[in-house]
Amino acid sequence: MKRKYQPEEVELKWQAVWAQSDLYRSDPDARPKFYSLEMFPYPSGRIHMGHVRNYAIGDVIARYKRMRGFNVLHPMGWDAFGLPAENAAIKEGVHPARWTHDNIAYMKKQLIRLGLSYDWSREVATCEPEYYRWNQWFFLKMFEKGLAYRKASFVNWCPSCATVLANEQVIDGRCWRCESVVVQKELEQWFLRITAYEDELLAALENLSGWPEKVRVMQKNWIGRSEGLEISFPVEGSRDEILVFTTRADTLFGAKFVCLAPKHPMAEKFFEAGNKAGREALEKIREHYGKMEEKHGLFTGHYAINPVNDERIPIYVANFVLMEYGTGAIMSVPAHDQRDFEFAQKYGLPLKTVIRLGDAKEAQALPEGAFEDDGVLVESGPFSGLSSAEARRKISEYIEAKARGRRVINYRLRDWGISRQRYWGTPIPMIYCQRCGVVPVPEKDLPVVLPEDVRFTGKGGSPLAEAEDFINVSCPSCGGRARRETDTMDTFVDSSWYYARYCSKAGGTALDKADIAYYMPVDQYVGGVEHAVLHLLYSRFFMRVIRDLGFTPISEPFERLLTQGMVCMETIRCPEHGWLYPFEVERDRCSRCGSPVERGRTEKMSKSKRNIVDPDQLIKTYGADTARLFSLFAAPPERDLEWSEKGVEGAYRFLQRIFNFVYDNLEILKAQAPAFKPGEKTQPLVRKTHQTIMRVTRDIEREYHFNTAIAAMMELVNAITAFAPSGPEDAWQLRFAVEKMLLLLAPFCPHMAQELWEALGMASDIHLERWPEYDEDAAREEQVELVVQINGKVRARVMVSPGLTDEEIKDMALSEPRIKEAIVGKDIKNVFAVKGKLVNIVAR
RNA sequence: GCGAGAGUGGCGGAACUGGCAGACGCGCUGGACUUAGGAUCCAGUGGGGAAACCUGUAGGGGUUCAAAUCCCCUCUCUCGCACCA
């Protein structure tokens, strides 16, 4: 009775064995370590194809490195705090803890079903007190070091729900629930001083050679370092001064007005409480602040003095000037800055050209816009004639010498506001005492546990703010009545150090120094580009805090980073029913109304476009090995992947062919000794096997190009199935090829490889086997094709033995009859030979 | 607008430092086995041509004995940033 490939049967069998034998558990030992990590998921309910791809990539790396003899740490956990759990509580009345734990249980089953080689003994869920107590501990340490502090800051506020909204709950400026217009409200909040590390975070990017250039550039822009000059502009008729920041000191002589941010203290001063009309006008400008729209300005009635030429220029309040960057005030040079140009146009302000391109003498027509490039200075007093770069230096020196300002470096990066007016997060371990002020929770009192018994209404403040038992405490310092902080931490705090927690099982401390020393840093991190800035930057920041707390000398958490592409699929629309799921289409028609469907463009899988594949369905139909194989075969990991049902079937067919071949030839294969005969290297199938090992190894090592590695394996399988053994004498070649092929397949399709490994009579676990070695001599072809070109066009092909000298192959090429014929009557100008495989004859 | 990346058969994608364009898979065509084929196996498959041969990697120029690959210009697409002074 012939055995049929039934993936579910095979896969469940081995998953049970692996779980039972703890096969993927890692503990420090004498071997070199390899830490393979994928971004842990938010437990949203079910995994999606993006997860499948992400974890398949990480799993191949982990399994491959394990076979290469590394002690591989490959953990998994849950980014378990977050807003959706709270939304579910509001909408469906399920407690966030319950919702989260149910989701984790389901998703964990899904991950196990994919055959991923995790060490589950290291699983963490960030919503467990055992985890978040260390968030609190890190927070206290940072507070001690001045890295955590409190200041007023704005939040999104829905006046109707009387609650704070996260950015993702604000849709087109309106509340996601009631559609009221969202306003900005100022609250006291906690910040982490990431800016203390801004220089280091920026400089170290240069050395992150294992990271994609793209991500490094994004972080660099995010940190946004710029060198410039701070200049004091005296306010006419008063002792006040306005400090501005500019990177274009060379345009200083062209400054025609000064603009203040609406919240600038001087704006406040210019429009004092008594000035009712002025106050109203100022409030109006403030409403336009931070919005990407037309520029709005308000003349203050005051003038500033340009320190280089004593020119008297008006002071405005402008909505486009940011209080958070630089000094909150700018000098405006309308001729050389587009924004200032637009502002000047609107308010009829003059402009003055002080930079010209090269030797252009004639006046350049301006109305089109500002000239923002560097050039040569004109009408700039003693600095006229200098280049922009020189002028920036000279003018800066001049300003500094006159004590009117100083050179400074500004960063776009702001401190990290971590306060969230939410329930489902880590409580910030702080207490407010009327007598002692802000008092940290003593370390011995950690964790500050999130109370379970709270109400979720979606209205009013955070549910914590109404939890009286939680709020009311006695002050740790004076023992008097005090209140707890009710804000919780941004969940990015949780994910900023989880990778370190995985390798540290110690219960009594945040991290175990010895374990960190062994496992850190992460050797390969895999995840989506969407975390290119925030998560990855916060993690780099946290690693440095951890370092400075004395846990480790390591600064960078992730040695190598792979950002995988998105999983995309064709979109399908019915003119009547809109977007359709793939299963709603039958023979190009809508299964509900029978209208012909329109096939749209390929886009990222999303529920709203319905171009999704359900991993559960996929695995049920084809099995985990096929799901993994196709995910890895259809594109290299860093590129977008186009999902294709037909392609999945192709992957399934490939596995089926292997399975059928092994079972069809089991007698022959098993009759062979597991060790192959030495000295038989010239056999074609053996050669192909060595070549395949070489290619697969090289493709994995070279940027994890699994797609070409799989293509090589497919070629080998084609060669294996085409091989007809003439008898027992050469059947050993088959045995050899199949055995190696299974070893190569093991990281990609772990169940199939193990099943057939066992079928061959092997007692060992294939995943504990060593990655096969190749022999370059055995891989070398006996004959190679020599391409002969005349003037760059292929004119003949000759089989030659490899290793001939350039002279020898040139001679062979020239003596080839077809070549002789083709060059009759022509002059041979030159002959080029390439590495024994190509000859180009130049003949005229 | 600025920054990054990418454009190769009907499709997904190969081609290490310039050296046979199209590996591998999908689809398609023909055949075999079949009551049947949407199963399996075999053969073919960039375009033109009966063939020799010509032509072809977004478009145009250039460098080179030789260009998908290097240089210049143009076009298209994707992603990121976007009043950061």
Side-chain angles (χ1 to χ4, degrees), chain A residues 184-242:
Chain A
Q184 297 294 303
K185 187 175 171 178
E186 200 167 21
L187 294 178
E188 284 279 308
Q189 307 203 62
W190 288 98
F191 286 81
L192 298 185
R193 206 179 295 280
I194 189 172
T195 55
Y197 291 89
E198 58 198 0
D199 259 332
E200 199 196 329
L201 288 169
L202 179 68
L205 283 174
E206 300 296 327
N207 304 323
L208 283 177
S209 56
W211 282 38
E213 180 64 22
K214 176 181 172 163
V215 174
R216 296 191 321 201
V217 168
M218 283 166 76
Q219 292 212 353
K220 192 177 167 188
N221 293 341
W222 188 262
I223 295 169
R225 179 193 145 103
S226 62
E227 295 180 7
L229 184 66
E230 274 183 6
I231 312 169
S232 258
F233 280 64
V235 176
E236 187 191 49
S238 90
R239 305 181 64 170
D240 291 322
E241 299 194 329
I242 292 169

Side-chain angles (χ1 to χ4, degrees), chain A residues 38 164 223 290 469 554 687 741:
Chain A
E38 300 107 59
V164 170
I223 295 169
D469 291 349
I554 292 169
R687 185 183 306 127
M741 185 270 292

Side-chain angles (χ1 to χ4, degrees), chain A residues 584-597:
Chain A
E584 292 175 310
V585 182
E586 277 171 47
R587 289 200 187 84
D588 285 340
R589 286 177 180 276
C590 171
S591 60
R592 275 189 283 173
C593 65
S595 334
V597 298

Side-chain angles (χ1 to χ4, degrees), chain A residues 409-653:
Chain A
I409 294 164
N410 257 315
Y411 293 86
R412 214 184 78 109
L413 184 70
R414 314 268 158 78
D415 279 334
W416 174 15
I418 58 154
S419 293
R420 296 292 180 271
Q421 295 71 37
R422 297 282 150 201
Y423 167 74
W424 195 232
T426 304
I428 294 174
M430 284 289 166
I431 290 170
Y432 302 101
C433 170
Q434 287 186 337
R435 219 172 315 165
C436 314
V438 179
V439 184
V441 172
E443 257 181 63
K444 66 174 172 50
D445 293 344
L446 296 184
V448 176
V449 177
L450 207 51
E452 296 255 324
D453 186 21
V454 294
R455 279 165 41 81
F456 300 94
T457 58
K459 304 222 170 193
S462 155
L464 279 187
E466 288 159 22
E468 294 298 327
D469 291 349
F470 175 78
I471 298 171
N472 297 316
V473 282
S474 49
C475 170
S477 168
C478 72
R481 283 181 55 180
R483 291 174 63 82
R484 273 191 201 285
E485 168 70 65
T486 57
D487 284 354
T488 53
M489 294 183 200
D490 180 2
T491 56
F492 275 119
V493 174
D494 313 350
S495 54
S496 290
W497 67 284
Y498 77 107
Y499 49 87
R501 182 68 186 172
Y502 277 143
C503 46
S504 198
K505 292 191 206 174
T509 55
L511 301 169
D512 181 287
K513 285 186 191 177
D515 285 341
I516 296 284
Y518 181 71
Y519 283 120
M520 284 299 289
V522 172
D523 293 278
Q524 181 65 58
Y525 197 28
V526 185
V529 241
E530 63 273 22
H531 295 113
V533 178
L534 298 181
H535 163 58
L536 290 168
L537 190 61
Y538 293 149
S539 295
R540 296 180 62 222
F541 163 55
F542 248 79
M543 195 71 224
R544 284 166 170 80
V545 173
I546 289 168
R547 177 196 66 193
D548 294 347
L549 288 170
F551 284 102
T552 172
I554 292 169
S555 304
E556 288 297 337
F558 313 120
E559 186 75 23
R560 282 165 60 89
L561 172 70
L562 184 116
T563 51
Q564 100 254 7
M566 299 181 298
V567 181
C568 302
M569 195 159 86
E570 181 185 46
T571 50
I572 306 172
R573 254 185 103 85
C574 163
E576 187 123 353
H577 297 99
W579 302 112
L580 299 180
Y581 289 110
F583 56 81
E584 292 175 310
V585 182
E586 277 171 47
R587 289 200 187 84
D588 285 340
R589 286 177 180 276
C590 171
S591 60
R592 275 189 283 173
C593 65
S595 334
V597 298
E598 302 154 10
R599 294 188 183 265
R601 34 185 278 163
T602 297
E603 290 182 69
K604 180 184 177 174
M605 283 190 180
S606 75
K607 276 184 193 157
S608 60
K609 296 268 170 69
R610 302 199 168 180
N611 57 338
I612 50 172
V613 169
D614 173 25
D616 283 348
Q617 280 296 323
L618 177 72
I619 290 168
K620 201 166 169 50
T621 315
Y622 298 102
D625 281 341
T626 295
R628 296 167 58 121
L629 187 68
F630 179 74
S631 303
L632 298 162
F633 175 63
E638 70 280 3
R639 290 249 288 262
D640 285 352
L641 178 149
E642 187 176 328
W643 198 263
S644 139
E645 180 77 13
K646 290 286 186 190
V648 174
E649 280 172 18
Y652 183 73
R653 264 200 299 271

Side-chain angles (χ1 to χ4, degrees), chain A residues 5 7-15 113 623-625 751:
Chain A
Y5 175 42
E8 188 164 35
E9 175 203 321
V10 172
E11 291 173 0
L12 293 179
K13 167 180 154 191
W14 291 109
Q15 283 158 14
R113 187 63 191 80
D625 281 341
H751 314 86

Side-chain angles (χ1 to χ4, degrees), chain A residues 283-302:
Chain A
E283 283 309 318
K284 250 195 147 145
I285 293 292
R286 285 181 177 172
E287 281 170 25
H288 294 288
Y289 179 67
K291 291 186 183 155
M292 208 34 203
E293 52 176 39
E294 200 187 342
K295 293 175 174 48
H296 296 273
L298 174 65
F299 180 47
T300 60
H302 296 262

Side-chain angles (χ1 to χ4, degrees), chain A residues 91-376:
Chain A
K91 283 184 176 163
E92 292 151 41
V94 200
H95 194 278
R98 173 71 192 281
W99 186 84
T100 304
H101 284 118
D102 287 353
N103 287 348
I104 289 175
Y106 189 83
M107 289 171 75
K108 186 171 175 179
K109 266 193 203 158
Q110 289 184 300
L111 296 186
I112 290 170
R113 187 63 191 80
L114 272 168
L116 302 168
S117 60
Y118 294 126
D119 176 355
W120 285 106
S121 73
R122 294 172 178 274
E123 179 180 7
V124 299
T126 58
C127 63
E128 300 295 343
E130 256 322 290
Y131 185 86
Y132 69 70
R133 68 175 295 174
W134 302 113
N135 280 347
Q136 295 170 339
W137 187 82
F138 279 122
F139 182 89
L140 293 178
K141 290 292 160 197
M142 290 166 86
F143 181 72
E144 277 172 28
K145 301 181 75 158
L147 289 172
Y149 65 96
R150 221 163 115 81
K151 74 169 186 195
S153 167
F154 288 91
V155 294
N156 300 309
W157 176 260
C158 171
S160 159
C161 302
T163 194
V164 170
L165 300 176
N167 287 335
E168 58 269 29
Q169 290 174 321
V170 180
I171 299 157
D172 293 331
R174 290 171 182 274
C175 173
W176 64 303
R177 295 185 76 209
C178 69
E179 299 193 351
S180 317
V181 173
V182 173
V183 298
Q184 297 294 303
K185 187 175 171 178
E186 200 167 21
L187 294 178
E188 284 279 308
Q189 307 203 62
W190 288 98
F191 286 81
L192 298 185
R193 206 179 295 280
I194 189 172
T195 55
Y197 291 89
E198 58 198 0
D199 259 332
E200 199 196 329
L201 288 169
L202 179 68
L205 283 174
E206 300 296 327
N207 304 323
L208 283 177
S209 56
W211 282 38
E213 180 64 22
K214 176 181 172 163
V215 174
R216 296 191 321 201
V217 168
M218 283 166 76
Q219 292 212 353
K220 192 177 167 188
N221 293 341
W222 188 262
I223 295 169
R225 179 193 145 103
S226 62
E227 295 180 7
L229 184 66
E230 274 183 6
I231 312 169
S232 258
F233 280 64
V235 176
E236 187 191 49
S238 90
R239 305 181 64 170
D240 291 322
E241 299 194 329
I242 292 169
L243 194 63
V244 306
F245 172 74
T246 182
T247 55
R248 291 298 302 271
D250 53 322
T251 64
L252 184 50
F253 284 80
K256 297 307 280 184
F257 49 98
V258 165
C259 288
L260 303 174
K263 283 275 177 181
H264 194 283
M266 285 301 290
E268 200 67 27
K269 191 167 176 182
F270 288 144
F271 297 97
E272 276 165 325
N275 176 359
K276 199 158 171 248
R279 291 300 301 183
E280 276 171 22
L282 182 61
E283 283 309 318
K284 250 195 147 145
I285 293 292
R286 285 181 177 172
E287 281 170 25
H288 294 288
Y289 179 67
K291 291 186 183 155
M292 208 34 203
E293 52 176 39
E294 200 187 342
K295 293 175 174 48
H296 296 273
L298 174 65
F299 180 47
T300 60
H302 296 262
Y303 290 84
I305 305 300
N306 186 339
V308 282
N309 56 9
D310 293 333
E311 194 178 339
R312 180 174 177 266
I313 56 178
I315 301 169
Y316 278 77
V317 174
N319 71 319
F320 70 95
V321 179
L322 305 172
M323 193 60 220
E324 294 83 2
Y325 183 78
T327 60
I330 58 168
M331 65 173 205
S332 288
V333 185
H336 303 293
D337 182 291
Q338 187 57 29
R339 298 158 299 187
D340 297 340
F341 178 86
E342 285 167 22
F343 192 86
Q345 294 273 298
K346 179 165 174 183
Y347 293 99
L349 295 161
L351 45 84
K352 178 182 167 193
T353 298
V354 291
I355 307 285
R356 287 264 169 85
L357 232 194
D359 49 8
K361 281 269 195 293
E362 73 280 14
Q364 280 157 346
L366 267 173
E368 290 298 317
F371 175 73
E372 295 187 311
D373 294 344
D374 276 7
V376 176

